[in-house]
Amino acid sequence: MNSAAAPEATHPASELESGSQASHKGRILAWAAWDWGSAAFNAVMTTFVFTVYLTSNAFGGEDQASAVLGGALAIAGAAVALLAPVTGQRSDTGGHRKLWLGVNTAAVALLTALCFFVFPRPEFLLLGVTLIALANVFFEFAGVNYNAMLTQISTPQNIGKVSGFGWGMGYLGGIVALLAVLQLFVQPSFEWFGASTADGLNIRLVAVFSALWFFIFALPVMFAVPELPRSKQGAGLGFLASYGLLVRRIKAIYRTSPHTIYFLLASAVFRDGLAAVFTFGGIIAAGTFGFELKDVIFFAIFGNVVAAAGAVLGGFLDDRIGPKAVITGSLIGLLVAGTAILVLGNDNHSFLGMEWAGTTTFWIFGLFLCLFVGPAQSSSRAYLARLAPAGESGELFGLYATTGRAVSFLAPALFTLCIAIAAPLVEPGEAQRWGILGIMAVLLVGLLLLLPVKAPDKTEIAVVPAV
């Protein structure tokens, strides 16, 4: 704990340490149910089904549609970067963390449902990417409040396990959601109107299903986890004045706990790479490795099983060896697996006298990517929660979102740039593979920035001004 004090400073203890020293299983389950429900947006909409639909030939070709989607997500990231920390700060001071979690979750569900109106024609591409981009903005806002709740439901002794359990629930929820999508819409087990592929009806109905799935499983946390008490710190500040307070607090954090800022910057970069692995994973499977939609979903199901196991295992390791070691090992694993996919590509290779097909490459190393993404995400959240000053988790996780989204253009932009550079140099349809190079570059830079950052147990808690 930081023993330093500034005249205007308050809350030298972390929110985690000053909170309850006993966790409630019911609250943890209700909190993790939100992660379970969010898989319908993360896995179904933005990774394995709807974005694959948006980047299909029906919307003008894989390369062009992938570039448009990447551009839209970059713009969405800029909006999150500008707004997230202040929205987190205001939910802290106003005692409205749970309220804004509910409002933003409902917005994501509504925008997801509106994707039903994205018909498989080029003129609907802009509508589709706009809805997905806006939903991503509100999803990030919801995530600020959701992540901040981690300090309300966990203790210093189990925060890694609780964070890993949440991520694991998200991946398992993705499995169930994807199986339902597969059996009802993609490879229907029985005849019904929702199985019709005319005008992409089955995939458009997937959007409605995903919206309902997310909304329903987000409800338990609204009843089980109590709302924050209203804080007098910063209460009554106008929206623009909140930015002034934010700047003063960032300066105070840098002055009294600089490694908190260093971690925010390093994690911003590698988390952008992690997000890109999921955002473009299904697209690469379909465009580069020739997976049909049903194959993409089968891979997603197995991938989520592996990712859930990785997140839970990473959570246990987090509480024992610390989050930095877990994140570092995960990033190294991601770089090895991603580089193998890039180098081997969709070509056939001979290995120990056996034929190695391109699809085998993606199955093996793609599953390794899934294994390492979960622990890196979970331990990043737990790392920052350990450093949040009392009463400031929402604002700090807002900065977490902002620093992430401030560079969220990076991986999509490099993914797009690498495709654009490769396009005139390779056969048509082969350029997408080289987008992987951009994602790996972002992960490598993030790892190099993380290495000099101190672990949370060696970092003092920031002392921040009240107003």
Side-chain angles (χ1 to χ4, degrees):
M1 182 186 300
N2 194 338
S3 58
E8 78 281 17
T10 58
H11 299 312
S14 73
E15 185 167 315
L16 181 65
E17 291 175 333
S18 60
S20 172
Q21 296 305 298
S23 51
H24 303 276
K25 291 183 179 179
R27 290 179 182 177
I28 292 172
L29 288 172
W31 177 80
W34 190 93
D35 244 328
W36 174 287
S38 72
F41 182 71
N42 284 328
V44 177
M45 294 298 294
T46 65
T47 304
F48 294 113
V49 180
F50 200 80
T51 51
V52 174
Y53 168 71
L54 274 181
T55 54
S56 65
N57 288 328
F59 290 91
E62 294 159 354
D63 292 346
Q64 176 191 351
S66 296
V68 173
L69 176 62
L73 293 176
I75 294 170
V80 172
L82 289 172
L83 298 171
V86 167
T87 58
Q89 175 198 110
R90 294 175 74 83
S91 68
D92 282 340
T93 58
H96 296 314
R97 181 177 290 170
K98 184 168 68 172
L99 170 66
W100 286 110
L101 173 61
V103 169
N104 289 308
T105 297
V108 176
L110 176 61
L111 289 164
T112 300
L114 289 175
C115 288
F116 174 79
F117 299 102
V118 180
F119 292 86
R121 293 190 285 276
E123 59 268 28
F124 285 92
L125 175 62
L126 185 58
L127 173 63
V129 298
T130 299
L131 289 172
I132 289 294
L134 282 173
N136 267 279
V137 170
F138 286 104
F139 187 82
E140 287 289 342
F141 290 166
V144 167
N145 293 289
Y146 176 74
N147 288 333
M149 277 186 177
L150 178 59
T151 59
Q152 293 176 251
I153 62 167
S154 62
T155 70
Q157 291 72 39
N158 70 2
I159 185 172
K161 287 186 287 186
V162 172
S163 183
F165 176 69
W167 279 109
M169 283 284 283
Y171 290 126
L172 292 174
I175 296 170
V176 180
L178 286 166
L179 281 171
V181 165
L182 183 66
Q183 294 299 313
L184 292 174
F185 304 104
V186 178
Q187 278 190 326
S189 299
F190 54 91
E191 289 296 326
W192 72 296
F193 80 92
S196 172
T197 59
D199 261 345
L201 177 62
N202 60 332
I203 304 302
R204 292 188 292 118
L205 282 174
V206 165
V208 178
F209 167 86
S210 299
L212 291 172
W213 180 279
F214 189 15
F215 184 78
I216 290 169
F217 285 105
L219 290 176
V221 73
M222 304 305 296
F223 297 98
V225 179
E227 185 58 280
L228 284 178
R230 183 178 176 85
S231 171
K232 293 181 180 179
Q233 297 181 21
L237 281 180
F239 188 79
L240 293 180
S242 296
Y243 281 96
L245 177 59
L246 174 67
V247 171
R248 293 194 296 276
R249 285 179 169 170
I250 292 173
K251 290 179 179 178
I253 293 171
Y254 182 73
R255 185 172 64 252
T256 59
S257 182
H259 281 267
T260 299
I261 298 295
Y262 300 155
F263 175 73
L264 285 170
L265 296 176
S267 72
V269 177
F270 71 69
R271 283 184 293 120
D272 190 44
L274 297 176
V277 169
F278 275 107
T279 300
F280 297 109
I283 295 169
I284 292 169
T288 299
F289 290 88
F291 281 37
E292 298 291 335
L293 181 56
K294 62 180 179 61
D295 299 321
V296 173
I297 294 176
F298 278 129
F299 175 82
I301 291 168
F302 283 99
N304 274 266
V305 172
V306 172
V312 173
L313 176 61
F316 278 96
L317 291 174
D318 184 301
D319 289 328
R320 286 161 176 76
I321 64 175
K324 182 180 176 181
V326 173
I327 298 168
T328 301
S330 297
L331 291 177
I332 292 172
L334 284 162
L335 286 167
V336 172
T339 300
I341 292 174
L342 173 64
V343 172
L344 296 176
N346 197 29
D347 297 328
N348 293 329
H349 302 276
S350 293
F351 183 74
L352 297 177
M354 299 181 295
E355 287 298 314
W356 182 292
T359 52
T360 303
T361 295
F362 191 83
W363 269 100
I364 292 177
F365 292 105
L367 289 178
F368 271 110
L369 286 175
C370 295
L371 178 67
F372 293 116
V373 166
Q377 291 174 320
S378 173
S379 287
S380 295
R381 177 167 66 187
Y383 192 119
L384 192 64
R386 287 178 169 95
L387 298 177
E392 309 294 335
S393 286
E395 184 175 66
L396 195 59
F397 274 107
L399 286 172
Y400 186 64
T402 285
T403 51
R405 290 305 178 175
V407 299
S408 65
F409 67 90
L410 198 57
L414 286 178
F415 178 81
T416 303
L417 178 63
C418 288
I419 292 174
I421 292 173
L425 305 176
V426 298
E427 296 295 321
E430 292 292 321
Q432 188 191 67
R433 164 187 171 187
W434 292 96
I436 301 170
L437 181 61
I439 298 172
M440 292 301 105
V442 172
L443 290 172
L444 177 60
V445 172
L447 173 62
L448 295 176
L449 291 173
L450 176 68
L451 291 177
V453 179
K454 290 182 180 178
D457 59 350
K458 298 179 181 178
T459 302
E460 295 185 330
I461 303 300
V463 182
V464 298
V467 291

